[in-house]
Amino acid sequence: MAEQLGQLADDRALLGRTSTAERVSDILRSRIAEGYFPPGTRLSEDSIGGALGVSRNTLREAFRLLTHERLLVHELNRGVFVRVLSVADVEDIYRTRALVECAVVRGLGEPPYALDGLAGAVAEGESAARESDWKSLGTANFHFHRELVALARSERTDELMRSVFAELRLAFHHVDHPRRLHEPYLARNRQILDALRTGDRAGAEELLSTYLADSLERVLEVYRRRVDEQ
């Protein structure tokens, strides 16, 4: 925990002179997603507040925001903890992903599409794979889906899926073989990109739907086993 708090203190500069609960929650959300605070970790108000240099009230409001996003959970007389997802949670996250991501592709309208962000995420993933950096490949994969959602040009959809993707990372922290989890989908990301480049929305949606179904099956296979071991 000391190392995590030291790194968290480095984030204090991000708060600037206008420290707000929203900015604190942004920092903590990122740190949770990156695995600095794994699922089940108790978050100390004193330690985190001291590391970030924020008041107890500000930190509690940030905790409240992240609890609303289902990243944290408050346990009576015990404190605030990073949430541990259930199998049902993982299934619901993927159900939401399929509903939203496929709808974004279906509703793109006529080509050409603004695919620079999507192409950049694919290139980022391919570079990480060449370096055998599987954690970075996982991050690139999240960037791919974030850029896919961004094609809708909807701030509300972006905000919704930001929370969904952050929740999903909680499940991925239980996976001890990130290469097995992420590498099979790198080529499929490029296939979706290529389909959209040719204006084939229907083909891209079909690829995406199959992709998400296969990903859910793979994640649940690992997740059920890891949860049962705890």
Side-chain angles (χ1 to χ4, degrees):
M1 179 63 73
E3 181 182 354
Q4 288 92 328
L5 291 173
Q7 293 169 335
L8 194 63
D10 294 338
D11 289 330
R12 184 185 296 193
L14 299 176
L15 298 175
R17 296 182 179 180
T18 56
S19 175
T20 65
E22 288 81 5
R23 290 187 180 183
V24 173
S25 67
D26 285 344
I27 290 171
L28 293 179
R29 185 188 301 105
S30 295
R31 289 299 185 176
I32 290 169
E34 293 164 2
Y36 289 96
F37 300 115
T41 301
R42 182 181 180 276
L43 300 185
S44 165
E45 288 185 1
D46 291 339
S47 297
I48 293 176
L52 289 176
V54 298
S55 71
R56 187 180 297 269
N57 286 340
T58 295
L59 187 60
R60 286 179 175 174
E61 176 62 13
F63 283 172
R64 187 192 68 78
L65 292 170
L66 295 177
T67 299
H68 180 70
E69 293 181 17
R70 295 177 293 276
L71 296 180
L72 303 181
V73 60
H74 181 268
E75 297 185 11
L76 188 63
N77 299 324
R78 295 194 64 220
V80 176
F81 295 79
V82 179
R83 191 157 174 250
V84 178
L85 300 183
S86 68
V87 169
D89 288 326
V90 177
E91 291 173 330
D92 192 40
I93 287 169
Y94 269 88
R95 187 179 305 115
T96 302
R97 292 186 67 190
L99 286 170
V100 174
E101 293 185 50
C102 290
V104 167
V105 173
R106 193 181 316 124
L108 281 177
E110 295 302 316
Y113 310 122
L115 300 176
D116 287 350
L118 209 61
V122 171
E124 177 188 354
E126 291 172 342
S127 176
R130 285 193 297 271
E131 299 294 327
S132 298
D133 186 348
W134 310 118
K135 182 178 179 180
S136 293
L137 175 58
T139 298
N141 196 38
F142 273 100
H143 290 168
F144 176 85
H145 290 278
R146 183 189 66 193
E147 294 294 341
L148 183 70
V149 170
L151 293 175
R153 297 183 179 180
S154 165
E155 291 184 4
R156 292 174 178 82
T157 304
D158 290 342
E159 184 176 353
L160 166 67
M161 295 307 292
R162 179 186 67 175
S163 296
V164 169
F165 291 143
E167 272 196 276
L168 183 59
R169 286 213 181 212
L170 294 181
F172 284 0
H173 292 319
H174 284 280
V175 178
D176 53 2
H177 296 291
R179 178 179 184 176
R180 296 181 189 175
L181 179 64
H182 299 297
E183 189 178 31
Y185 300 97
L186 181 57
R188 298 169 84 164
N189 288 347
R190 178 160 288 284
Q191 289 174 346
I192 292 170
L193 172 63
D194 290 344
L196 291 175
R197 276 175 167 161
T198 64
D200 184 8
R201 282 182 300 155
E205 183 183 354
E206 183 177 357
L207 288 168
L208 178 60
S209 179
T210 303
Y211 175 127
L212 292 175
D214 290 347
S215 178
L216 172 60
E217 183 178 354
R218 180 180 292 264
V219 170
L220 285 182
E221 178 185 358
V222 176
Y223 197 74
R224 284 194 180 102
R225 183 170 64 250
R226 292 300 302 274
V227 170
D228 289 343
E229 290 173 354
Q230 294 183 345

